[in-house]
Amino acid sequence: MFRALRVIRRIAVIGNGGGGKSTLCRALGDRLGLRVREVDAVQWLPGWRRASLDETARTLEAWAAEDSWIIDGFGPWPVIDRRMERADTIVYIDLPFRTHLWWAAKRQVASRLFRTLRRVNALRPQIFEVVSRNDRSAKLVHLRSPAAIARWLTEVTAGADRTAQPAR
C-alpha cells in the first residue's frame, strides 16, 4: 500500500536556541531547493540590538506570503501564529534544556574563537613586520611547526647564551 506524499513548500522551523534549527533549515533548503529565511537576520541589528518590532513584523509577514519558504526562528508573537497557519509543515525542535544549553555554549565559544583566529591570521603580514623590524630580527624566534616548537624548547636552558642563533 502506498501512502500519498504531500508537497512541502512552506516550512516553519521553531524551537529554542542551540537546537540545530539553522543547520536543519540549510539542509532542508538544499534538499528541497527552497529559500531559507532566518528570523534573527531581521529581528536583530549588529551588536544584538533589537530591530523595530513593526519593521520585523512587516518583513516576516512578507516572507510568509510567498509561495514557498523555510523560515527559521520565532519573531513577534502575532506573526508566529499567522506563519504557522500558512505553513504546510511545522517543525518544532524541542530538545531537553541541557542539550540546548550545551550546544549553544559550544557554538558561542567556537564562534568567538574562530572570529579571533581569522582576525589574527589576516594580520600575519603586519605582525611579522612588527616582530622583525629593525634590530628585532636578531632576537626573533620564528616557530612555524609543532616540531620546531618542541625542538626549540629542548634547546632553551636557564642561563643559556642569548646570542646563540635560535631554531627557525
Side-chain angles (χ1 to χ4, degrees):
M1 183 156 112
F2 294 100
R3 196 167 62 173
L5 296 176
R6 62 186 170 99
V7 175
I8 298 176
R9 296 183 340 196
R10 291 180 302 277
I11 306 170
V13 180
I14 202 160
N16 205 348
K21 292 185 309 291
S22 297
T23 301
L24 175 63
C25 287
R26 285 189 297 273
L28 283 169
D30 289 346
R31 176 171 278 198
L32 301 173
L34 296 175
R35 184 172 185 178
V36 176
R37 306 285 200 146
E38 294 184 25
V39 173
D40 281 351
V42 295
Q43 185 167 266
W44 298 103
L45 300 172
W48 285 104
R49 293 177 295 123
R50 188 174 281 285
S52 154
L53 193 59
D54 290 340
E55 183 61 32
T56 299
R58 275 193 297 278
T59 301
L60 297 178
E61 290 283 4
W63 291 355
E66 294 173 359
D67 288 333
S68 62
W69 41 262
I70 299 172
I71 299 178
D72 167 7
F74 281 91
W77 279 109
V79 209
I80 294 171
D81 193 47
R82 287 190 288 279
R83 183 182 334 137
M84 297 304 142
E85 285 300 316
R86 182 104 170 101
D88 55 47
T89 305
I90 299 169
V91 178
Y92 176 32
I93 297 180
D94 187 25
L95 305 176
F97 179 72
R98 66 183 176 279
T99 303
H100 287 280
L101 186 61
W102 176 242
W103 287 2
K106 284 194 317 184
R107 179 177 64 200
Q108 290 302 312
V109 168
S111 174
R112 285 194 176 102
L113 173 64
F114 290 138
R115 264 196 313 259
T116 300
L117 291 173
R118 282 192 300 268
R119 186 171 52 246
V120 172
N121 189 60
L123 293 171
R124 285 177 69 226
Q126 293 93 327
I127 294 170
F128 185 74
E129 194 277 324
V130 166
V131 301
S132 63
R133 102 171 39 127
N134 302 330
D135 64 341
R136 295 177 191 156
S137 61
K139 54 187 175 182
L140 174 64
V141 178
H142 188 181
L143 303 172
R144 299 184 54 109
S145 71
I149 294 170
R151 190 172 48 251
W152 183 74
L153 188 57
T154 63
E155 296 171 4
V156 174
T157 59
D161 181 4
R162 303 264 185 226
T163 62
Q165 181 64 27
R168 292 190 188 253

